[in-house]
Amino acid sequence: LRRPSLRLAPRQQTAVPLAFDPRVIAEHHAVVRVETDYRGERLTWRYPVRGMVNAPVQLRAVRLACKAKTSQQREVRLRLKNLAELAPGGEDFEFEVAADDPEASAFAKRALALKPVKLHLDGITDELRFDATFRPLRAFAGSVNLVVRRETGGRWPFEVQLEATEPEPDDTIALEASLHHTAKARFALVNSLSTNFEPFSAYFTTDSSRALAVQPTQGLLAPVGAEGTAFEVAFAPTKYSMLERGRLVVKTAETTWSYEVRGTNPPFVVPEATTKIDTHISA
């Protein structure tokens, strides 16, 4: 407190500033006491103060990366810096995965599994251990925080970077069309991960040939047990080419399907020319 004493007029209010400068990560307690004399009696107000310490995010992040629809497993070891002395016999710690970004939080709930191997520390140099499994179903890049909590106070956030690159194609679609003609292929898709109709978007990636198109580009994807949602892929070449390529993506909030689409022209057949020799000599 910078002002241990002050005078207030009737009904006047004032702020009581407090400073908290912890040296170790532990819970701290104090009591702010306000006293005054009123008509010869001592009046006292007591305000308990509880100080919680949050460690800064560690500079070295935990990174998990793989292609969508594959998985990565690794052991994660965490040392708690500036940890205050532990109770005799050690202490147990708790953890949670948190994120400020709602999309990152929802993605981590589906794709990241953390199995605690050791949550009990016997000394301040001991380490917590987790088995991490990263199993993404769609492409994503972002981060969440693995927050370690001490029952007696203190929080240690560790950044966990998650990166899922585009998956390998689920299938290949081949189309053949003559110049200024259109070839089409149709297929049905079912969302095996859901029992409800889920919104989807369908599109070709930006590096795909402009001669390729898909319909519909958005709608509701049928769940397990329902008739699949129908898609139509079209190839309409406007120039001769050996091969036109594209990557078709069908995406929901949970997962992604991708297809390699190849468009070709029919083989060019050289027309056969007939030669006629006139041996007749005019008179």
Side-chain angles (χ1 to χ4, degrees), residues 67-248:
K67 286 187 176 182
K69 296 190 175 181
T70 63
S71 64
Q72 181 193 22
Q73 294 180 322
R74 59 166 293 188
E75 183 185 48
V76 176
R77 291 174 172 264
L78 303 178
R79 177 170 292 183
L80 307 183
K81 294 184 178 181
N82 302 112
L83 176 63
E85 289 296 330
L86 299 174
E91 295 182 20
D92 293 326
F93 289 76
E94 299 177 343
F95 75 97
E96 65 175 344
V97 176
D100 295 330
D101 181 11
E103 181 184 2
S105 178
F107 179 82
K109 287 181 181 180
R110 294 188 292 264
L112 178 63
L114 289 172
K115 179 181 178 182
V117 177
K118 182 181 179 182
L119 290 178
H120 182 88
L121 297 185
D122 296 309
I124 60 175
T125 60
D126 206 354
E127 293 179 325
L128 301 176
R129 297 203 308 271
F130 300 85
D131 282 338
T133 302
F134 184 44
R135 189 175 288 112
L137 295 176
R138 64 177 178 86
F140 177 83
S143 63
V144 295
N145 284 328
L146 169 56
V147 182
V148 177
R149 298 194 309 270
R150 186 181 189 181
E151 184 178 352
T152 57
R155 297 171 74 253
W156 289 261
F158 295 85
E159 182 184 8
V160 180
Q161 296 176 349
L162 304 175
E163 182 180 0
T165 55
E166 292 292 342
E168 295 293 331
D170 293 288
D171 205 348
T172 300
I173 300 173
L175 296 168
E176 183 180 274
S178 301
L179 190 65
H180 301 302
H181 289 73
T182 301
K184 296 181 179 180
R186 297 176 177 86
F187 66 93
L189 186 61
V190 171
N191 187 359
S192 60
L193 300 176
S194 177
T195 57
N196 300 311
F197 284 84
E198 298 288 343
F200 75 86
S201 60
Y203 57 89
F204 277 94
T205 56
T206 56
D207 57 347
S208 300
S209 168
R210 294 187 177 182
L212 299 170
V214 62
Q215 287 293 333
T217 57
Q218 59 184 4
L220 294 176
L221 191 62
V224 176
E227 185 177 351
T229 300
F231 291 88
E232 182 179 87
V233 180
F235 173 52
T238 58
K239 61 181 180 180
Y240 284 110
S241 175
M242 293 294 293
L243 179 65
E244 300 278 2
R245 292 179 179 269
R247 174 65 68 94
L248 171 62

Side-chain angles (χ1 to χ4, degrees), residues 13-44:
Q13 296 181 351
T14 188
V16 179
L18 297 178
F20 183 45
D21 185 20
R23 295 292 186 270
V24 294
I25 300 177
E27 185 171 308
H28 301 263
H29 297 268
V31 175
V32 176
R33 189 173 60 188
V34 179
E35 296 181 339
T36 186
D37 290 324
Y38 179 72
R39 296 181 179 179
E41 295 186 6
R42 195 68 171 173
L43 301 181
T44 303

